[in-house]
Amino acid sequence: MKTARIVVDNEVLEVSVDDAGTLRTAAGTVIDESVVTWLCPVENPGTIFALGLNYADHASELAFEPPKEPLVFIKGNNTLTGHMQPAYRPDDIDFMHYECELVAVIGKTARNVSRDDATDYIAGYTLCNDFAIRDYLENYYRPNLRVKSRDSLCPIGPWLVSTDEIGDVSNLQITTRVNGELTQQGTTADMIFNVPFLVEYLSGIMTLQPGDMIATGTPKGLKDMQPGDQVVCSIEGVGSLKTPILSEQQFYGERY
Amino acid sequence: MQQIINPQGALVCVALNDKSQLAALSDRFHQAPYLKPATQPVLYFKPRNTRSNNGSVMPYPSHLAEDQALYVGASLVAVIAEPCCRVSEEQALSYCAGVTLMHDFSLREESYYRPDIKGKCLDHSAAVAERITPLDNLGALDDLVVVTQLNEQTEYRFPSVQMQRSISELISSISHIMTLQSGDLIALGFAGERIQLCPEDQVISYIETGEASTVVELKNSVSKKVASSALTGQGAEQ
């Protein structure tokens, strides 16, 4: 089952999404996609864990050795941005890039869960674009909040796919297109630390709660983003997440 | 005033904001992997599983490496009053409902290079006092001292003038990274030397103002040492 959260006429609705992409309310009413505002598909988003360097080809692209232990960082909830909603490129930078990532959403409280049992604790999967501003990297708690936790730097969705519908996530195609051009291609088979491992690892440190998310890292294929670009991240069996890029001034308007 | 703190909201902590700590680490921060001192505030999140409150008991970690231990630092906390987006230093204090205190329980800070998930994200490790003191009741913000006692002995006094970056500067710069919401918290800085803890220790912090009155008290204790099996399943959720 696929579920999305949308706003129609100032009302937040949870809808199901069928294979043709048709949105239906619980009462069966079909919603015209052209009038909806997409929200993060997780109703009460919790902690957003994200993985750095979790694909060997991406690690070498950034001139790093693949890590021996997961490199985990946290993104703030201010970053969450729905499908079709804009992200912004700060002024005065040289390199902002997308990162198309499979996201596991925790479905029940997890503490010291083994990798063999991990799937039981996952409500479903979605995908995110874990944007980064490379100019702002500093070697302190890297990747630092200024790089990864700016407003709008985590487009997510369009929907949540239940674990039973998606089945095996260990070999899903990952693609990103910028303005229609294919710029990133990989597969979740190349993840260094897979979802069951990460659930075991994180739940061994702390209690995971429903609504917590694990963004599992991105394969090779970085490209700079400019205002006016449209980036579409796609994961096989999950969906496609589209994000228009705005300038800082366009994004913040009178707050600029 | 108390209800404004949002336990599901952001808790952003400022590391390396003690001038004497920065001076002591200066040589190290010019070498790999740091290469040069940070130009921006060094920040970390305490996620929602860490949140606890005045009077809470911090579980002593059950499977510490032999050379590891539990530590605590105390910090002034700015409580955000209303949505706060890209505000100037001059405007910053008007977005602050007041201050409170937090105890940040963690493992020893060994490296600042990568996010310290293992050290900083322990369950219940961010105890935040419920009581907020409005800024108007504090006197000069430069005259505050956070006093921390371990088992009734004063272990450290961290004056706010020891902070490299001020409360206004931090609210402003963080609000240019992320839009802060009402009830979000910024832990403004910790004395560089954190206090090592043993099971069943008691930690009390309070704020001393320039008029030598004390405001906000935060009292926590550390649990007995527990076997790791006691921390599995439902037991860990209490």
Side-chain angles (χ1 to χ4, degrees), chain B residues 87-131:
Chain B
V87 302
S88 67
E89 278 186 49
E90 293 70 31
Q91 300 165 316
L93 293 183
S94 65
Y95 291 84
C96 180
V99 299
T100 185
L101 281 173
M102 84 168 284
H103 284 146
D104 177 25
F105 294 93
S106 71
L107 305 186
R108 187 169 53 242
E109 292 183 348
E110 289 177 331
S111 167
Y112 299 94
Y113 178 51
R114 292 300 190 186
D116 188 10
I117 302 295
K118 278 184 174 169
K120 293 295 188 192
C121 294
L122 304 170
D123 287 347
H124 313 296
S125 63
V128 178
E130 289 82 0
R131 184 176 292 278

Side-chain angles (χ1 to χ4, degrees), chain B residues 51-73:
Chain B
R51 295 291 285 272
S52 68
N53 42 42
N54 186 31
S56 70
V57 179
M58 173 63 203
Y60 193 85
S62 56
H63 40 262
L64 285 178
E66 259 179 35
D67 60 344
Q68 257 299 1
L70 185 67
Y71 287 76
V72 69

Side-chain angles (χ1 to χ4, degrees), chain A residues 160-197:
Chain A
L160 180 68
V161 186
S162 61
T163 310
D164 58 340
E165 176 164 325
I166 198 167
D168 183 9
V169 298
S170 67
N171 188 13
L172 303 176
Q173 292 299 309
I174 294 178
T175 53
T176 300
R177 287 184 167 78
V178 178
N179 305 326
E181 179 199 349
L182 183 66
T183 53
Q184 183 180 39
Q185 195 163 23
T187 161
T188 60
D190 293 335
M191 249 183 230
I192 297 170
F193 302 106
N194 66 15
V195 172
F197 182 97

Side-chain angles (χ1 to χ4, degrees), chain B residues 149-220:
Chain B
Q149 298 179 334
L150 175 65
N151 302 324
E152 300 180 354
Q153 299 291 315
T154 297
E155 283 287 312
Y156 72 48
R157 296 172 52 83
F158 185 55
S160 51
V161 286
Q162 269 294 111
M163 294 201 304
Q164 177 79 13
R165 298 172 197 276
S166 69
I167 174 169
S168 307
E169 184 182 349
L170 289 166
I171 291 173
S172 173
S173 67
I174 293 169
S175 80
H176 282 80
I177 298 175
M178 62 185 84
T179 301
L180 297 162
Q181 304 295 334
S182 173
D184 284 354
L185 305 175
I186 300 173
L188 299 160
F190 301 85
E193 193 154 336
R194 295 195 176 214
I195 301 168
Q196 187 173 341
L197 296 170
C198 296
E200 301 182 74
D201 277 345
Q202 305 278 334
V203 186
I204 297 175
S205 294
Y206 55 87
I207 303 168
E208 207 172 79
T209 70
E211 288 95 42
S213 63
T214 62
V215 293
V216 185
E217 188 178 83
L218 176 61
K219 183 173 182 177
N220 296 106

